[in-house]
Amino acid sequence: EVRKLRSRCQSVLSKTPSIFRSHLFCFLSSVRSIGSGRRYLIGGNWKCNGTLAENEARIKVFNDAGPIPANVDVVLCVPYIHIPMVLEKVRKDITVGAQNCGNNTGNGAFTGEVGAHQIKDIGCTWVIIGHSERREGFGMPGEPVELCAQKTKIALEKGLKVMFCIGMFKKNSFLIAFLLRAKNLIGF
């Protein structure tokens, strides 16, 4: 089964326009080692990429990729403006997520924010929180762990699944301290 899947992946990759290859490669290369009783999550973050036409082509690549094994969840986290189109056009065994959410618990005067309740309402099941690009701040102070923890708690309460990014830490002790701090802030 894994050999057949790998062959299909290579076939799809060879037909993929070069602009999408890096995104698809992450999706397809992750499938190589699947075969045990474990569940796997393969998530693709489209970042701030793609026009409507480019993303329609990208969706076609995913739709034509062949069957996804039963123990694999595939999630595409796309820019907010493309969520409705991706939800409508991507095959049903691929779920759609947002790349961030606000720390607001409901509607209100939060200009520019998208609440977890709105992400859930539109049909997404996942959200990325704490991505390194948001933590670095795009040239200004980034999101601290307290804010990421607050967003995570709200997203979970609203029924979303969270991809909580912890970054690439070189020291395990720092990673453990970070996770414990986040866990205490979230209250789980």
Side-chain angles (χ1 to χ4, degrees), residues 110-125:
F110 306 102
T111 303
E113 291 297 309
V114 178
H117 66 290
Q118 294 168 312
I119 294 167
K120 180 72 174 175
D121 182 58
I122 201 167
C124 290
T125 53

Side-chain angles (χ1 to χ4, degrees), residues 100-106 110 113-116 147-148 150-152 154:
N100 187 40
C101 70
N103 66 334
N104 50 306
T105 58
F110 306 102
E113 291 297 309
V114 178
L147 178 59
C148 295
Q150 185 181 27
K151 288 179 175 187
T152 298
I154 293 166

Side-chain angles (χ1 to χ4, degrees), residues 122-140:
I122 201 167
C124 290
T125 53
W126 286 89
V127 63
I128 297 173
I129 296 178
H131 195 283
S132 62
E133 294 161 358
R134 299 199 59 82
R135 290 186 192 222
E136 291 168 6
F138 306 104
M140 60 185 115

Side-chain angles (χ1 to χ4, degrees), residues 169-176:
F169 298 110
K170 294 180 180 170
K171 297 191 180 215
N172 287 340
S173 60
F174 179 77
L175 176 60
I176 291 167

Side-chain angles (χ1 to χ4, degrees), residues 42-186:
I42 300 173
N45 180 3
W46 289 9
K47 300 186 179 272
C48 187
N49 289 305
T51 63
L52 287 172
E54 289 169 344
N55 285 338
E56 282 186 13
R58 187 176 286 151
I59 290 167
K60 181 173 178 1
V61 170
F62 281 96
N63 287 344
D64 293 345
I68 297 170
N71 63 334
V72 176
D73 295 316
V74 177
V75 182
L76 302 177
C77 294
V78 304
Y80 292 127
I81 61 169
H82 297 297
I83 288 173
M85 178 192 64
V86 176
L87 282 166
E88 179 184 327
K89 295 187 177 200
V90 77
R91 57 198 247 192
K92 299 305 170 205
D93 59 346
I94 297 176
T95 55
V96 180
Q99 299 172 344
N100 187 40
C101 70
N103 66 334
N104 50 306
T105 58
N107 297 326
F110 306 102
T111 303
E113 291 297 309
V114 178
H117 66 290
Q118 294 168 312
I119 294 167
K120 180 72 174 175
D121 182 58
I122 201 167
C124 290
T125 53
W126 286 89
V127 63
I128 297 173
I129 296 178
H131 195 283
S132 62
E133 294 161 358
R134 299 199 59 82
R135 290 186 192 222
E136 291 168 6
F138 306 104
M140 60 185 115
E143 296 181 350
V145 68
E146 293 83 3
L147 178 59
C148 295
Q150 185 181 27
K151 288 179 175 187
T152 298
K153 183 176 182 181
I154 293 166
L156 292 171
E157 288 171 354
K158 299 299 179 185
L160 291 170
K161 297 176 183 177
V162 174
M163 288 184 218
F164 187 78
C165 301
I166 56 173
M168 304 297 269
F169 298 110
K170 294 180 180 170
K171 297 191 180 215
N172 287 340
S173 60
F174 179 77
L175 176 60
I176 291 167
F178 175 85
L179 291 173
L180 288 174
R181 184 171 177 206
K183 181 177 179 268
N184 288 335
L185 289 167
I186 294 170

